Amino acid sequence: MNTIAPGSEDEVEESDFKPLTAEEAQQLRSRIVPVSLVRILMVQALVGALVALLAWGLTGRPVAAWSAAYGSLAVVIPAALFARGVRKHMASSNPGAAVTGLFGWELVKIVLTVAALAAAPWVIPGLVWLALLAGVVLTLKMYWFALWLQIRSVKPN
């Protein structure tokens, strides 16, 4: 068992933590620009369309474009349902209901995405798996792009 001796360096580091005052927290909140869920979904759909056009242009096969578009839609549609469902639960004054709603809708999003991807071979005859994967991955990466944009949009002091 590893214990910390009183007066040790580890104890000093723990006590250096200083919670924000209400005023400091309000100043921090005023510097953060919220990201619109609708904007993220629109960017995801746009990226999906661009990936589909790129797949068509590179292969010359319309089925590659449909495969990429389907992969993108397998991400965007469940994400839109998630955003709509979570928005309702976040309005609740009960924090437990909000957290339960968040996890519940995340589960719905994952199940719908997996089901859509599992159904892909039956929905798109001659499915191009690489194009489908490109549509899924590039569409999913838009969350990270949105996070990066949010970090860049924080107003300096």
Side-chain angles (χ1 to χ4, degrees):
M1 184 162 114
N2 191 3
T3 59
I4 299 174
S8 71
E9 187 176 317
D10 290 335
E11 185 178 319
V12 172
E13 285 181 21
E14 281 185 33
S15 65
D16 287 344
F17 176 76
K18 180 185 154 222
L20 296 176
T21 65
E23 182 180 309
E24 290 170 332
Q26 183 58 38
Q27 287 175 350
L28 180 62
R29 279 189 214 105
S30 70
R31 289 180 31 216
I32 297 173
V33 179
V35 176
S36 166
L37 291 176
V38 173
R39 184 175 295 161
I40 292 172
L41 292 170
M42 287 177 18
V43 170
Q44 283 184 319
L46 177 66
V47 165
L50 292 174
V51 171
L53 288 173
L54 184 64
W56 192 359
L58 289 175
T59 64
R61 297 173 51 204
V63 72
W66 285 113
S67 298
Y70 186 88
S72 178
L73 289 175
V75 172
V76 172
I77 292 172
L81 289 171
F82 169 80
R84 185 174 181 266
V86 166
R87 183 173 287 161
K88 274 196 227 178
H89 284 283
M90 290 302 167
S92 170
S93 61
N94 181 354
V99 171
T100 302
L102 177 73
F103 285 117
W105 280 105
E106 181 65 23
L107 180 64
V108 167
K109 182 176 90 168
I110 291 169
V111 167
L112 287 176
T113 300
V114 169
L117 292 174
W122 292 279
V123 175
I124 301 177
L127 180 71
V128 178
W129 284 100
L130 188 57
L132 177 101
L133 184 62
V136 169
V137 169
L138 291 174
T139 303
L140 281 172
K141 291 302 174 188
M142 288 303 102
Y143 289 121
W144 290 104
F145 182 68
L147 179 63
W148 177 74
L149 285 179
Q150 174 152 359
I151 290 169
R152 289 196 61 222
S153 68
V154 173
K155 302 173 207 166
N157 285 340

